[in-house]
Amino acid sequence: MELVEVDVAIVGAGGAGLRAAIALVEKDPTLRIALISKVYPMRSHTCAAEGGAAGVVKPDDSFDLHFDDTVGGGDWLSDQDCVEYFVHEAPKELMQLEHWGCPWNREADGSVAVRPFGGMKKQRTWFAADKSGFHILHTLFQTTLQFPTITRFDEYYALDLLVEDGRCQGLTAMEMRSGMIKQFHAKSVIIAGGGAGRMFPFSTNGAIKTGDGMAMAYRAGVPLKDMEFVQYHPTGLPNTGSLLTEACRGEGGVLLNKNGRRYLQDYGMGPETPLGKPQLKTMELGPRDRVSQAYWHELQKGNTVTTPWGECVMLDMRHLGEKYIDERLPLVRELGIAYLGVDIVKDAIPIRPVVHYMMGGISTNTKAATPLPGLFAAGECACVSLNGANRLGSNSLVELLVFGKSAALSAIEHIKGLPAPNRAALEVKAKESQARVRELFSRTDGNESMSGLRKEMMDTMEKNAGLYREENGLREAVAKIAELRQRYQKVMLHDKSNVFNTDLFQVLELGSMLDCAEALTVSALARKESRGAHQRLDYVQRDDQNFLRHSMAYYQGLDAPRIDYLDVVITKSPPGVRDYSGDHK
Ligand SMILES: Cc1cc2nc3c(=O)[nH]c(=O)nc-3n(C[C@H](O)[C@H](O)[C@H](O)COP(=O)(O)OP(=O)(O)OC[C@H]3O[C@@H](n4cnc5c(N)ncnc54)[C@H](O)[C@@H]3O)c2cc1C
């Protein structure tokens, strides 16, 4: 089997993976780095991010305030040592991007412009119109191009980690255009594989967000942390699920029910504020979990608007005016016209909550290290835990930078003084991984289809593990996902060719999603409380006595995962009441 030998292998070339790669070379230009991605780097989901990235920059803001917003927004499930580190590093990272060429919007005096964002009680979200992710990813990608020691493996599908002697020492990956599996021996591996929102049928996530990185680590014995916390974004287009960024509300857009009422005032997010730009009080700038949940209550009350695409509420931005919209929200206008035929300058646009982000993921500490020596993780695939039970909009893009860099520095630290790899032992492991794929090709008795199983999984997740959950539904979901994982053993490949076999990759991705879905549903069933994005109709209160702790799901093959718990790190903010009725200044 072909061998690629490097010092550090990175799985994923989105924001987190690219930031890690740059930090590696900057620290040690002699390192050999493999950057492995199943898509061309600029096609990573980071490119789709719209609204912006949070970091304290204005004189009336402070690290303490960013800390308070993040910890309260996360319903006190964030590890506070991690949040403290994050808020201090955030502006440095954003300024670093500026120096690498990121075209942040400017105030009239030339300083960096910031916009309000949900749950952030000060304006601190840096932005590049509503194409922030595109510009961030481009800046990072361009920067990596100057370093010859970063070798890119674009369109390589990572399969399995190589764990030997109690350490992670590499991985296997398939070159997608040839079907050839290669072994990568690496002293450190960083997973930056992104989220897993595609477990759900209605999602803002790109098709590649199938939790492969999470599943790889999970199968290798690393726990998945807080998987039950799934973020719904309140404003998705009702037909495609495409995101209308939170900046729509940050810039002053309002949410209306079928009676034209700004209903958020009925859910602890009032009082109603005058229309203006930018929006300066809470209301539409409540955190995502609360705003999405308010939609659900409006639906129960019969206050939603019936549209050809289902029940919706309306997002109204007309009062912002064409000039302002074209300057600040050009992509949103384009999306509305292209996908729904609605011009936001002239009409309110129907929207509904849509699965957007996974708060949970590979368990890491503040240094981005997993419990498995040699394995590090950063970005949406990791749970460090910054976001707790609910991520605040615009914290994720910065999380990629801060912890992408941490992962790199930790990976270098790990390498020091390591013995030479046992190539023969690693090759044995690599062959086991290869055999797993070969078995799929040689299967003749399979009677299950990838698309059939995937549909059943998505329907189950939507029905039983969505915005609101309860015991019976979760039990049904746990049983169904277990059944689907059994049936997955009989899934048939229709295409047995080697060249860009998309059938194969979709089967592998389905396997990753089923593993993640099982960790998610089993963790959700066990968490008998409501906190942040995990809302249970049968346990409506937050229960700090029993659940101020992280869920840790451990892989057990085809059996259900073992769930354990880990205490939340509290440094200075004891659990309190989340209050979104005050002023934003
Ligand atoms: C539409 C949208 C808008 C958003 N807007 C914002 C925003 O304004 N502000 C904000 O803070 N956050 C935003 N987010 C969230 C944020 O963009 C993401 O959480 C973040 O970009 C994830 O970055 P990442 O580097 O972890 O992963 P990604 O950018 O998703 O990259 C994952 C990488 O892993 C690779 N990969 C995955 N599996 C494999 C495999 N098996 N083999 C090889 N490679 C693999 C992929 O090829 C890809 O390169 C938004 C998200 C979406 C979906």
Side-chain angles (χ1 to χ4, degrees):
M1 191 189 281
E2 195 175 311
L3 168 65
V4 180
E5 229 172 0
V6 292
D7 296 302
V8 184
I10 305 173
V11 177
L18 292 175
R19 181 65 187 94
I22 298 169
L24 286 169
V25 216
E26 287 200 322
K27 183 79 182 173
D28 182 351
T30 65
L31 289 176
R32 296 159 305 162
I33 300 157
L35 184 59
I36 300 163
S37 174
K38 67 179 175 179
V39 294
Y40 187 73
M42 278 306 294
R43 299 185 72 95
S44 304
H45 190 74
T46 301
C47 191
E50 300 171 13
V56 170
V57 65
K58 295 292 177 194
D60 68 337
D61 198 2
S62 72
F63 294 135
D64 281 344
L65 291 172
H66 193 183
F67 172 92
D68 288 343
D69 287 349
T70 303
V71 170
D75 221 347
W76 278 272
L77 198 70
S78 311
D79 282 341
Q80 297 182 9
D81 54 345
C82 161
V83 182
E84 281 187 59
Y85 178 71
F86 168 81
V87 297
H88 281 87
E89 293 300 304
K92 294 186 217 162
E93 282 296 315
L94 295 175
M95 196 55 81
Q96 175 65 70
L97 275 190
E98 155 100 5
H99 294 164
W100 285 331
C102 188
W104 298 119
N105 268 48
R106 301 276 164 194
E107 308 284 12
D109 67 0
S111 62
V112 168
V114 283
R115 62 167 39 130
F117 236 63
M120 300 275 188
K121 292 177 182 158
K122 292 281 177 186
Q123 296 195 33
R124 63 171 73 96
T125 298
W126 304 37
F127 61 100
D130 56 0
K131 298 174 185 172
S132 308
F134 170 83
H135 288 297
I136 290 174
L137 196 61
H138 224 288
T139 302
L140 292 168
F141 184 43
Q142 285 181 158
T143 305
T144 61
L145 295 179
Q146 64 188 281
F147 300 119
T149 48
I150 302 175
T151 308
R152 290 213 329 269
F153 294 85
D154 294 344
E155 298 184 335
Y156 273 65
Y157 188 101
L159 295 162
D160 293 297
L161 294 173
L162 301 179
V163 181
E164 176 60 26
D165 202 17
R167 304 185 267 126
C168 180
Q169 303 194 43
L171 66 138
T172 51
M174 180 184 274
E175 184 183 39
M176 295 166 80
R177 79 186 149 96
S178 67
M180 189 194 287
I181 295 179
K182 299 185 185 176
Q183 50 177 334
F184 291 76
H185 292 183
K187 296 173 189 155
S188 291
V189 174
I190 298 173
I191 300 190
R198 281 281 166 162
M199 283 180 274
F200 290 79
F202 189 60
S203 164
T204 63
N205 286 192
I208 60 169
K209 297 192 74 169
T210 52
D212 302 343
M214 294 181 189
M216 270 171 90
Y218 182 50
R219 289 196 308 267
V222 178
L224 295 183
K225 191 198 283 170
D226 292 339
M227 286 296 281
E228 62 272 39
F229 296 97
V230 178
Q231 177 161 82
Y232 277 75
H233 195 292
T235 58
L237 285 185
N239 52 352
T240 58
S242 306
L243 178 77
L244 297 191
T245 167
E246 193 158 283
C248 297
R249 285 168 287 131
E251 298 292 357
V254 296
L255 291 174
L256 305 173
N257 67 13
K258 75 171 186 197
N259 306 316
R261 179 171 172 79
R262 287 175 65 193
Y263 57 88
L264 292 177
Q265 60 191 296
D266 303 331
Y267 301 95
M269 284 175 270
E272 187 170 4
T273 50
L275 293 186
K277 50 180 182 178
Q279 186 74 26
L280 285 180
K281 296 209 179 177
T282 308
M283 288 292 285
E284 282 78 8
L285 284 178
R288 289 179 180 170
D289 55 343
R290 291 282 174 86
V291 179
S292 294
Q293 288 151 16
Y295 161 89
W296 185 88
H297 289 285
E298 286 295 288
L299 182 68
Q300 309 306 308
K301 291 180 190 166
N303 284 344
T304 46
V305 181
T306 305
T307 74
W309 314 281
E311 292 300 310
C312 292
V313 286
M314 305 303 287
L315 173 61
D316 194 349
M317 290 170 274
R318 287 173 293 181
H319 52 282
L320 300 180
E322 184 164 12
K323 182 166 176 295
Y324 194 77
I325 285 175
D326 282 347
E327 185 192 318
R328 296 287 185 114
L329 302 166
L331 179 65
V332 174
R333 187 174 184 193
E334 251 174 67
L335 288 172
I337 293 171
Y339 290 110
L340 223 53
V342 175
D343 184 352
I344 57 168
V345 168
K346 299 187 189 123
D347 292 299
I349 188 164
I351 49 93
R352 70 178 166 106
V354 51
V355 167
H356 184 57
Y357 182 86
M358 301 291 298
M359 266 71 75
I362 303 167
S363 179
T364 57
N365 63 18
T366 309
K367 299 197 159 173
T370 74
L372 177 64
L375 184 68
F376 307 86
E380 191 172 340
C381 69
C383 180
V384 44
S385 143
L386 169 71
N387 303 304
N390 170 59
R391 172 176 73 90
L392 292 191
S394 74
N395 267 353
S396 169
L397 288 173
V398 192
E399 176 180 5
L400 311 179
L401 304 170
V402 171
F403 294 103
K405 181 175 172 189
S406 295
L409 299 182
S410 301
I412 293 178
E413 206 48 44
H414 172 77
I415 284 173
K416 290 181 185 156
L418 276 187
N422 180 341
R423 291 204 184 96
L426 289 176
E427 174 134 8
V428 170
K429 299 278 169 173
K431 288 203 163 138
E432 286 170 18
S433 168
Q434 188 180 42
R436 180 169 82 88
V437 177
R438 286 211 173 131
E439 191 273 325
L440 272 171
F441 278 88
S442 60
R443 214 173 264 178
T444 49
D445 60 341
N447 52 6
E448 296 287 353
S449 81
M450 179 275 299
S451 54
L453 293 179
R454 191 175 60 188
K455 179 163 189 327
E456 286 185 50
M457 170 191 69
M458 286 178 166
D459 289 349
T460 302
M461 298 306 281
E462 167 106 327
K463 179 168 166 240
N464 298 316
L467 261 179
Y468 279 86
R469 303 154 172 189
E470 46 78 41
E471 184 90 9
N472 289 339
L474 285 170
R475 282 196 187 288
E476 190 181 308
V478 167
K480 186 70 185 179
I481 300 294
E483 174 205 314
L484 294 175
R485 291 183 74 234
Q486 289 287 350
R487 287 166 55 195
Y488 179 76
Q489 309 306 310
K490 295 272 179 206
V491 73
M492 271 300 272
L493 277 186
H494 296 294
D495 179 358
K496 304 221 170 169
S497 68
N498 285 322
V499 178
F500 280 113
N501 185 339
T502 50
D503 189 26
L504 170 68
F505 299 120
Q506 290 189 342
V507 166
L508 293 170
E509 288 174 340
L510 174 62
S512 303
M513 289 191 285
L514 284 171
D515 286 347
C516 292
E518 183 158 66
L520 190 163
T521 48
V522 174
S523 304
L525 179 62
R527 185 174 285 275
K528 298 185 190 311
E529 65 157 354
S530 289
R531 183 186 296 270
H534 173 70
Q535 291 291 313
R536 288 196 49 160
L537 294 166
D538 44 357
Y539 297 95
V540 295
Q541 300 298 328
R542 191 175 82 194
D543 176 359
D544 291 327
Q545 194 75 35
N546 295 305
F547 289 105
L548 186 60
R549 36 189 205 158
H550 302 292
S551 311
M552 307 284 275
Y554 289 84
Y555 184 74
Q556 306 209 104
L558 278 177
D559 291 336
R562 175 171 65 82
I563 305 293
D564 211 339
Y565 292 94
L566 181 70
D567 284 343
V568 171
V569 178
I570 307 268
T571 56
K572 59 182 187 188
S573 172
V577 176
R578 298 172 76 199
D579 178 16
Y580 294 101
S581 57
D583 279 358
H584 278 194
K585 297 214 173 66

